[in-house]
Each structure stands twice: as C-alpha cells, then as structure tokens.
Amino acid sequence: MDYIDYYKILDLKKDASIDDIKKAYRKLARKHHPDLNPNNEESNKKFQQINEANEVLSDPEKRKKYDKYGKDWQHADQLDAQEQQRRQYQSQGNGYGGSFSGGDDFSDFFSSMFGGGGGRSSRKSPFKGQDYSAELQLNLTDAYNTHKQTLTVNGKQVRINIPAGVENGQKIKLAGYGAPGMNNGQPGDLYIQFNIAEHPKFKRKGNDIFIQEEIDLYTAVLGGEKIIETLSGKVKIKIPEGTQPDASLRLKGKGFPVYKKADQFGDLYINWRVKLPTNLNAEQKELFLQLSQS
C-alpha cells in the first residue's frame, strides 16, 4: 500500500493542534468540494484525500497509531499484540531483540515478521485487516436517484452503487474493502457515511418532502391552477377557491424514495403562501371596500 502523508495533505506540521487540523480541513474541503469543481477528477481525488486525512488526524487514537507506525498504522492493534508476544519471548531468553520504533527499520521488520519467511511462521495467527472509514458528500437530488460514484480510499479508487433514499448520516458497509489482513487473515471492511447537504427549496423529513409555494390573493379567493416543481418533475395543481394562508396540500407518492424498497415513495406537502396586492389604485381600493361591506 502506498504511503499517504496526511500532514502534508493538510499542509500541517506534526505538532499541529486539533484546532489547526479543523481549520486546515475546512479551508481545503471548501476549496476542493465537488460542487465547486464539477467534472474535475483531480480535485475530487484531492477532496477524498482531505477527508481521509481529517478522519485520521482529528481522532486522537488513530493519530497516535499513525504517528507511531506510519504507513502501517492500520495494523497497530495487531502489531502491538505481536510486540507484546516478542517481549515475552525475549524475557524467556528466546525470540527477537530490539523494539518497534516506526520508520524504515520498522517497515523492514513488519515485512519480515508478517509478509516473508521467518523462523516462527507456525506461530503466526491470522488477523483481520483494519476497517476503513470514509465520508461522501451528496446533494439532495443525488440521494433521490440510484447512481454510481467513485471515491478514493487510501490511494485506491472504489466504485460504489448508491441506492436511492439514503439518509443524511447513514452508513453502509462494504465488506472486504478495508486494509489487507495479516498472516492470511481476512481484509477489513469499508464504512461509508453519507453527508447530504440541505436543499434551498425541498425540506426532507424522513421520506416526506415539504415545500412552500406562493399564490396571489385572487387565486386564493377564486381558485385556479399552478405548476409545481417536484423532485420527479413538474406537476399541475388545482387550487380550490377559498384557499387560506398557510393551508397545506398533500401529494401522495411525490416525496422521497424509500431506501431499498422499489416503487415506494413518501409524500410531498405544499404550504401555500398568499401574496397580498400592493400599490392599489383608487378604483381597486373601492372594490375592496365594497367587498368588505357586503
């Protein structure tokens, strides 16, 4: 696996504070966000690396492992266990000398201890590889449709199928897409969290969608029609006469798709906002006066 310098990705020194990491992440994430760099593969790759670096360095435990073991940090728990075993052998006058300190010497030891031949191969136990975590930014319209996306995890591209209806904060597991196992152990898993940005018009609550639409006073009083934009396209709505301000209308099945349930959708709720006329002339004011007295 290629070594990724997380400090270099975020343009930080190794003694950077948590606040430094957060500031650097926010700055770079805004710069390389896919919404600001559409169809830019290089920027998308950089964005994924920035998320990955932040995932590790903002977590004190992961950062400690990364600082100690470098490119082999995903195997920290297994390596600590092997180090403890080595010390037991050494205390009995057997086994290996020295200790783990990271860097090139450690990597050579890592390869010989777990990857190549050795006098104690019969004692090696299989270890499952480290799990990976990644975040994927989506727009609401992206989450509405089943589609494919490619993300970069530890320098490797992973193409995933995203089912329609995923929720903000939802996580999925891709078995076997984590770090390689050790001593013929199973590979780890990849956990992907979806972060869905808020939409300026459509407000999602579960599988239902809520919107506000404006109508004029005359349509509210006399009734009429209005074309409404939904996530699945435009629909023509009949507005009954006497529609009150803040009245709601429900369109069944025009909401958000239900996750992994084909042809099932939530509902769309329309809240009517009545716009009152302004700058009335004398004749119009007289007509309203007559109405008020009738």
Side-chain angles (χ1 to χ4, degrees):
M1 180 184 299
D2 294 335
Y3 174 63
I4 299 178
D5 189 335
Y6 294 142
Y7 291 102
K8 184 176 180 180
I9 288 174
L10 295 180
D11 195 23
L12 293 170
K13 295 182 179 180
K14 288 192 174 182
D15 60 353
S17 67
I18 290 295
D19 285 340
D20 292 335
I21 294 170
K22 289 181 179 179
K23 290 178 182 178
Y25 168 72
R26 286 195 292 265
K27 177 181 177 181
L28 292 171
R30 285 195 296 268
K31 179 179 178 181
H32 295 281
H33 196 283
D35 289 348
L36 300 179
N37 301 275
N39 303 319
N40 188 328
E41 294 184 5
E42 184 63 29
S43 187
N44 183 61
K45 179 179 179 181
K46 183 70 173 178
F47 183 74
Q48 297 296 340
Q49 290 179 339
I50 291 167
N51 277 324
E52 184 180 323
N54 179 66
E55 175 77 18
V56 174
L57 297 185
S58 63
D59 186 312
E61 188 63 28
K62 291 181 180 179
R63 184 181 182 183
K64 181 179 178 182
K65 294 176 181 178
Y66 176 77
D67 288 343
K68 182 177 181 180
Y69 292 119
K71 72 182 182 66
D72 300 312
W73 73 272
Q74 295 95 338
H75 301 293
D77 294 338
Q78 297 95 319
L79 294 172
D80 285 342
Q82 291 286 356
E83 167 70 352
Q84 184 178 3
Q85 187 181 54
R86 183 196 64 78
R87 288 177 178 175
Q88 291 176 349
Y89 289 145
Q90 188 179 25
S91 66
Q92 297 170 3
N94 300 310
Y96 306 94
S99 61
F100 294 165
S101 59
D104 293 337
D105 292 340
F106 169 76
S107 295
D108 292 341
F109 182 88
F110 175 83
S111 297
S112 63
M113 187 76 169
F114 305 114
R120 301 186 182 274
S121 61
S122 62
R123 298 194 180 198
K124 297 174 187 175
S125 300
F127 289 101
K128 180 182 178 182
Q130 182 79 12
D131 291 337
Y132 289 160
S133 295
E135 294 184 0
L136 189 57
Q137 311 295 324
L138 297 176
N139 294 321
L140 189 68
T141 50
D142 293 330
Y144 184 84
N145 298 295
T146 297
H147 66 288
K148 296 181 183 295
Q149 283 205 26
T150 300
L151 63 158
T152 304
V153 180
N154 272 31
K156 296 183 178 180
Q157 288 192 332
V158 180
R159 187 167 177 80
I160 63 172
N161 186 65
I162 303 175
V166 294
E167 295 189 20
N168 183 44
Q170 181 177 342
K171 290 184 178 181
I172 64 171
K173 182 179 80 171
L174 299 182
Y177 280 83
M182 300 171 60
N183 306 329
N184 295 320
Q186 293 181 346
D189 303 321
L190 171 61
Y191 291 86
I192 301 175
Q193 177 175 308
F194 298 104
N195 295 330
I196 302 175
E198 291 189 3
H199 194 279
K201 177 177 181 179
F202 301 103
K203 305 302 180 184
R204 180 184 180 186
K205 293 183 180 180
N207 295 316
D208 294 329
I209 295 293
F210 295 80
I211 64 172
Q212 291 186 349
E213 290 288 339
E214 189 176 86
I215 55 176
D216 57 43
L217 177 63
Y218 313 107
T219 302
V221 173
L222 303 174
E225 294 181 339
K226 185 177 179 66
I227 295 177
I228 302 297
E229 188 77 38
T230 74
L231 286 169
S232 59
K234 295 181 179 180
V235 295
K236 182 182 288 187
I237 302 297
K238 286 188 176 182
I239 302 171
E241 62 180 47
T243 295
Q244 298 297 311
D246 290 327
S248 293
L249 175 67
R250 173 192 175 204
L251 298 183
K252 188 175 181 179
K254 288 295 182 179
F256 222 72
V258 180
Y259 182 69
K260 286 192 173 180
K261 291 187 178 180
D263 300 323
Q264 292 190 31
F265 293 81
D267 300 328
L268 173 67
Y269 291 85
I270 304 172
N271 179 254
W272 298 115
R273 296 283 182 162
V274 179
K275 183 180 179 180
L276 298 179
T278 59
N279 301 320
L280 297 176
N281 58 36
E283 183 180 358
Q284 291 169 329
K285 290 181 180 179
E286 179 63 27
L287 289 173
F288 272 104
L289 180 61
Q290 291 177 19
L291 287 172
S292 67
Q293 295 174 348
S294 60

